Amino acid sequence: MINTMECVADAQSLISISLMKIHNSRTQRGGIKLHKNLLVSYVLRNARQVYIKEKYAEIYRMQQYEEVMTVCNEIQELNPLELDAEDAEDEDLARTTCCGEDFQRGSMKDPEPAYYRSCCMEAPLPPCDQLSVNINTHCNKTTVLDLDTHVVTTVDNGYIHQDCCCDAFQCAQSAQAPAKKRKMDFGYCTSDLDELQDFTTSRKRLRREDCVYSCQDFTDTSNISNLISIFGSGFSGLLSRQADLEQICSKQALAGLGAWTRAIVAF
Amino acid sequence: MGEDAESPKINHTFLRDYVTEADVISTVEFNQTGDLLATGDKGGRVVIFQRETESKGDFEEVGDTGDSGEYNVYSTFQSHEPDFDYLKSLEIEEKINKIRWLPQQNAAHFLLSTNDKTIKLWKVSERDKRPEGYNLKDEEGRLKDISTITSLQVPVLKPTDLMVEVRPRRVFANGHTYHVNSISVNSDGETYLSADDLRINMWHLGITDRSFNIVDIKPANMEDLTEVITASEFHPHHCHLFVYSSSKGTLRLCDMRASALCDKHAKLYEEPEDPGSRSFFSEIISSVSDVKFSHSGRYMLTRDYLTAKVWDLHMDKGPVETYQVHEYLRSKLCSLYENDCIFDKFECVWNSSDSVIMTGAYNSFFRMFDRETGRGVTLEAWRESSKPRAVLRTRRVYTGGKRRRGDVGVDSLDFTKKILHMAWHPAENIIAIAATNNLYIFQDRVNPDAHTQ
């Protein structure tokens, strides 16, 4: 159990800072420092664990709140005046979310817009349908060079659905994808796909992330959710609103933790 | 690098910073007798200081040995140059990570210096005589005209000005893929080890084209990497034993008699983690930054971010002594993470009798702990507050309770002034403290301390 009361910075800003450090280590003189990046990855993992827990607890609270509001809604339908003001909210919600009809129905003010946006990518992909399609169609094969043995191998890549309207099966599949492949899932970038297995060559991997980062304001903590959803499919499991699916997906999310840790450690 | 008088608007501060950066001392080491002190800096230079043996006139009390205790510059040389790895497109820093002296076997001195990739053996020798009276050559070395030679003479050695020559004798290259963090000379006098993040190699001092890999913790899949090697040292008496520390806070003692590859440790020293103190930064602050055997060989001293621990070789369940170096920083770990100070690697040292341990901290403070009483003192290595021959007064960081005059608040600590590197004379109470680009030498004498830069 991590003591989260320790300092002012919360999990999100720690994640942001850690990613920035990993990013900056590329340009440091003397090459990437394995030890430091390993330690940063531990902080990242710890912050992510706390973040997931907090978000999960929030979903649960939101779900309970929504159920209450649904009941209130039915009562409120008797009063037509209030609905107009909330329609604008609904449209906004519809544009930025893509998960299920339930969200659109909700008439309450979205208390955490950042969170809902996390299930889809920002501006570039407004229509919901696109997300159900596999974005990662290019990354099929990877060539890896082990710098110690100088052996070149070609590996087939699995890829992870970025679909936020998750169903349990997708979650299960993606969580079981080989851990090594998770890093490959950067749907935005079609740049250099060559991956060097040795840690010192993770700079190329980081270059791909660079594309991702440049798409967004890196320091904006509200976009951390986006970055996290890029990094691991486990997060998408948290967004399901159905209770049983939620349980399954959250389990997948937790199962995905280890794999994601390994992906970051490989820096 | 002079300033251009015609364009006064150019800001040259970056040049100043660059020059200073190269002067930052990155390692300090006494030789086995303590007569020589070597420092390495970020610019790849090594400066050797020698202790003065003549007693000065105005020193009434000079101690038993007759040494004045002053260290003066003996020699300076460029050990490593910036390099570039073309295959990986990586710049290799010239910063000297470690210097270790070899035991002296003849008139010359030998030391090993290493940067991230390459270890070099240097021979430091004196020349204070030169032969004169050659028959075939004249004073300048030109061949004489044979017809002018009328008699034979035997060349004689005449004293001349002292010249210190430093020459590279061996270059141990291409042994490491990762960054070298430690070197340690074996007590057998023939071999030494070098450790990087994932591997430890053993070299013979006379052979440069090959080394033995004795520890390899690189996982088959780099994604499974969970810890790295942070420091390593040979046992001072047993040539088959060495220890290495990890980023997870563990120590592993290895016996080279057991097998050629010492991946399997002979003993694992680990302190169970206190689950109540878990935080985001638990892994970082438990990483061991330095490990040193005691002179007796019975104990090991380790340093992690907040504490220094003494371990008994015979007990692997946990340290026998734990010293809080700057516990007041525990609540500040977040900001220390942001400004990267949490990654600072502090060294630790034993005194000659293994009764006192010393390690560095921030704000130019360093701490000494008396093992018998368990008490610690805080001292300061700062030019303004210590004049030559002044007695060092103890400092205190205010953490609550009654505030005394001279106490420093935690928020006023200067985290850019860090004491990372230090050395203790092998026989006497003389310490060398590296504070950024300054070197302080303090002595425990009735007569006050010496102070050089």
Side-chain angles (χ1 to χ4, degrees):
Chain A
M1 196 60 188
I2 292 178
N3 177 16
T4 58
M5 294 298 138
E6 183 202 44
C7 58
V8 178
D10 59 355
Q12 278 191 338
S13 61
L14 268 185
I15 290 173
S16 158
I17 293 166
S18 304
L19 291 171
M20 189 70 112
K21 285 188 194 298
I22 294 177
H23 178 66
N24 288 341
S25 72
R26 287 178 52 204
T27 51
Q28 269 170 7
R29 213 172 152 239
I32 296 178
K33 291 178 175 42
L34 182 64
H35 184 200
K36 181 176 176 185
N37 281 289
L38 179 66
L39 296 176
V40 169
S41 73
Y42 274 116
V43 174
L44 204 47
R45 183 197 68 169
N46 294 338
R48 181 174 171 270
Q49 283 171 349
V50 169
Y51 181 80
I52 289 177
K53 251 182 247 178
E54 284 173 358
K55 285 304 171 191
Y56 184 61
E58 204 174 301
I59 298 170
Y60 186 67
R61 278 197 307 271
M62 287 309 307
Q63 189 192 12
Q64 286 192 318
Y65 179 68
E66 275 182 25
E67 282 165 5
V68 168
M69 285 310 294
T70 309
V71 171
C72 291
N73 242 8
E74 284 158 8
I75 299 168
Q76 264 183 352
E77 263 162 15
L78 301 170
N79 186 353
L81 285 173
E82 291 194 15
L83 280 176
D84 291 340
E86 280 149 359
D87 271 345
E89 275 296 318
D90 289 353
E91 279 177 29
D92 232 5
L93 227 45
R95 257 203 302 283
T96 59
T97 68
C98 62
C99 288
E101 301 157 12
D102 295 342
F103 282 121
Q104 296 173 17
R105 189 181 62 205
S107 61
M108 79 280 188
K109 227 179 154 79
D110 185 354
E112 189 81 38
Y115 175 66
Y116 289 119
R117 274 201 293 281
S118 73
C119 73
C120 354
M121 304 311 145
E122 289 271 21
L125 297 164
C128 257
D129 315 353
Q130 282 196 5
L131 289 175
S132 60
V133 172
N134 253 329
I135 296 173
N136 221 355
T137 48
H138 334 277
C139 308
N140 284 330
K141 274 197 170 152
T142 322
T143 304
V144 297
L145 164 68
D146 186 331
L147 280 177
D148 278 336
T149 61
H150 296 288
V151 168
V152 177
T153 49
T154 308
V155 234
D156 271 321
N157 230 3
Y159 38 75
I160 302 158
H161 295 268
Q162 283 297 323
D163 190 4
C164 62
C165 313
C166 90
D167 57 48
F169 302 103
Q170 280 184 349
C171 274
Q173 276 174 9
S174 42
Q176 280 159 26
K180 189 163 84 72
K181 310 303 183 289
R182 284 176 187 274
K183 298 183 298 299
M184 304 303 297
D185 186 32
F186 300 121
Y188 283 146
C189 301
T190 62
S191 60
D192 189 2
L193 291 176
D194 282 340
E195 183 196 355
L196 301 176
Q197 206 171 23
D198 197 84
F199 84 103
T200 53
T201 60
S202 59
R203 291 150 100 248
K204 296 230 176 169
R205 203 172 300 142
L206 286 165
R207 197 179 299 145
R208 207 179 305 114
E209 287 147 38
D210 217 7
C211 295
V212 174
Y213 298 164
S214 61
C215 299
Q216 307 152 28
D217 178 6
F218 199 65
T219 55
D220 186 359
T221 55
S222 68
N223 286 308
I224 295 304
S225 312
N226 288 320
L227 287 167
I228 292 172
S229 57
I230 294 168
F231 273 106
S233 71
F235 285 93
S236 51
L238 298 171
L239 301 174
S240 163
R241 297 198 64 249
Q242 299 168 27
D244 50 347
L245 278 180
E246 197 175 18
Q247 268 211 336
I248 296 166
C249 286
S250 66
K251 276 190 192 142
Q252 299 302 340
L254 291 172
L257 272 176
W260 192 64
T261 306
R262 289 195 289 278
I264 295 304
V265 158
F267 284 125
Chain B
M1 268 187 272
E3 299 208 355
D4 185 357
E6 292 180 356
S7 46
K9 288 190 187 140
I10 295 176
N11 185 357
H12 288 268
T13 52
F14 76 96
L15 286 173
R16 264 205 304 281
D17 291 341
Y18 178 74
V19 170
T20 310
E21 179 73 13
D23 290 337
V24 172
I25 298 172
S26 51
T27 184
V28 188
E29 183 80 355
F30 279 102
N31 74 337
Q32 276 77 7
T33 58
D35 287 336
L36 295 176
L37 174 67
T39 63
D41 64 22
K42 280 194 173 175
R45 284 181 306 251
V46 172
V47 180
I48 304 177
F49 297 86
Q50 187 187 44
R51 194 175 186 185
E52 291 301 317
T53 48
E54 295 110 339
S55 49
K56 301 252 161 92
D58 48 350
F59 270 86
E60 305 243 328
E61 297 169 50
V62 293
D64 300 337
T65 58
D67 292 335
S68 69
E70 292 241 347
Y71 281 81
N72 295 321
V73 178
Y74 180 64
S75 175
T76 306
F77 61 95
Q78 185 77 30
S79 170
H80 287 73
E81 299 276 0
D83 203 353
F84 198 80
D85 182 338
Y86 296 96
L87 182 65
K88 296 183 203 169
S89 295
L90 280 181
E91 201 181 347
I92 300 170
E93 278 189 292
E94 67 277 25
K95 172 170 80 94
I96 307 296
N97 291 335
K98 281 288 184 307
I99 289 175
R100 290 286 183 264
W101 291 92
L102 266 56
Q104 192 176 12
Q105 288 175 332
N106 50 37
H109 298 274
F110 288 86
L111 63 81
L112 286 169
S113 66
T114 184
N115 68 348
D116 282 341
K117 295 288 181 199
T118 306
I119 305 130
K120 293 187 184 179
L121 177 69
W122 294 89
K123 178 179 178 183
V124 184
S125 50
E126 288 181 5
R127 187 190 294 230
D128 60 354
K129 295 185 183 52
R130 47 171 285 182
E132 277 182 18
Y134 281 108
N135 290 295
L136 298 177
K137 285 188 284 187
D138 64 14
E139 292 290 315
E140 278 83 40
R142 287 186 300 243
L143 282 174
K144 280 186 193 168
D145 184 6
I146 294 185
S147 55
T148 61
I149 300 171
T150 52
S151 62
L152 277 178
Q153 59 182 347
V154 177
V156 291
L157 289 173
K158 294 252 173 77
T160 182
D161 290 337
L162 179 65
M163 249 190 354
V164 180
E165 291 177 333
V166 183
R167 285 211 204 89
R169 300 296 291 185
R170 305 270 188 274
V171 178
F172 304 92
N174 304 318
H176 291 279
T177 310
Y178 304 98
H179 296 330
V180 174
N181 52 54
S182 318
I183 48 175
S184 175
V185 182
N186 204 349
S187 51
D188 66 6
E190 290 187 351
T191 56
Y192 74 96
L193 65 75
S194 58
D196 66 26
D197 290 322
L198 297 178
R199 298 190 177 103
I200 302 180
N201 292 338
M202 185 162 129
W203 305 78
H204 189 280
L205 284 163
I207 300 171
T208 57
D209 62 353
R210 77 194 76 167
S211 69
F212 284 105
N213 174 245
I214 51 178
V215 172
D216 188 342
I217 63 168
K218 184 182 177 186
N221 190 352
M222 274 300 270
E223 290 180 31
D224 298 331
L225 181 73
T226 53
E227 63 181 334
V228 295
I229 297 169
T230 52
S232 183
E233 200 184 36
F234 267 119
H235 191 278
H237 308 311
H238 302 300
C239 57
H240 53 268
L241 285 180
F242 66 94
V243 69
Y244 69 90
S245 60
S246 83
S247 55
K248 275 193 170 169
T250 62
L251 296 172
R252 284 178 173 81
L253 187 71
C254 299
D255 190 332
M256 293 194 291
R257 298 171 301 185
S259 69
L261 195 58
C262 298
D263 281 0
K264 199 161 151 10
H265 51 262
K267 243 174 150 43
L268 171 69
Y269 300 84
E270 194 172 13
E271 184 175 26
E273 193 196 348
D274 173 20
S277 65
R278 190 119 176 80
S279 76
F280 288 116
F281 311 105
S282 294
E283 286 84 5
I284 300 187
I285 62 172
S286 63
S287 173
V288 174
S289 55
D290 193 19
V291 64
K292 293 267 175 37
F293 276 106
S294 64
H295 291 91
S296 62
R298 168 74 188 260
Y299 298 98
M300 295 179 293
L301 172 65
T302 59
R303 176 76 154 96
D304 50 59
Y305 191 64
L306 296 177
T307 68
K309 294 177 178 160
V310 174
W311 304 74
D312 185 334
L313 247 68
H314 299 156
M315 193 175 98
D316 53 7
K317 294 288 173 288
V320 289
E321 295 154 32
T322 302
Y323 300 97
Q324 304 293 337
V325 180
H326 37 205
E327 179 67 14
Y328 45 81
L329 294 184
R330 194 180 285 272
S331 53
K332 306 245 174 276
L333 292 180
C334 229
S335 8
L336 292 167
Y337 178 71
E338 283 177 49
N339 63 17
D340 273 1
C341 282
I342 206 174
F343 300 106
D344 287 335
K345 296 188 184 162
F346 292 94
E347 290 176 10
C348 51
V349 292
W350 296 89
N351 74 335
S352 51
S353 58
D354 298 337
S355 59
V356 178
I357 60 164
M358 180 170 72
T359 187
Y362 293 106
N363 206 66
S364 305
F365 289 166
F366 58 99
R367 306 212 65 201
M368 279 194 205
F369 296 94
D370 184 327
R371 290 184 61 211
E372 282 152 52
T373 62
R375 282 179 45 234
V377 291
T378 306
L379 301 165
E380 188 178 17
W382 181 233
R383 198 179 328 167
E384 306 300 333
S385 59
S386 62
K387 308 199 173 14
R389 299 198 248 277
V391 174
L392 272 182
R393 61 193 174 96
T394 60
R395 303 302 309 269
R396 220 168 73 115
V397 177
Y398 176 69
T399 52
K402 189 164 188 266
R403 186 163 190 150
R404 288 189 224 145
R405 202 166 69 96
D407 279 3
V408 181
V410 178
D411 293 320
S412 0
L413 291 174
D414 187 345
F415 291 98
T416 61
K417 298 199 178 71
K418 44 192 98 172
I419 307 286
L420 302 174
H421 311 288
M422 49 186 32
W424 201 308
H425 190 287
E428 298 178 36
N429 281 343
I430 303 174
I431 55 177
I433 309 283
T436 323
N437 51 354
N438 293 326
L439 179 71
Y440 292 84
I441 300 178
F442 300 111
Q443 298 181 53
D444 179 25
R445 305 164 71 95
V446 174
N447 238 357
D449 308 338
H451 159 212
T452 65
Q453 285 186 29

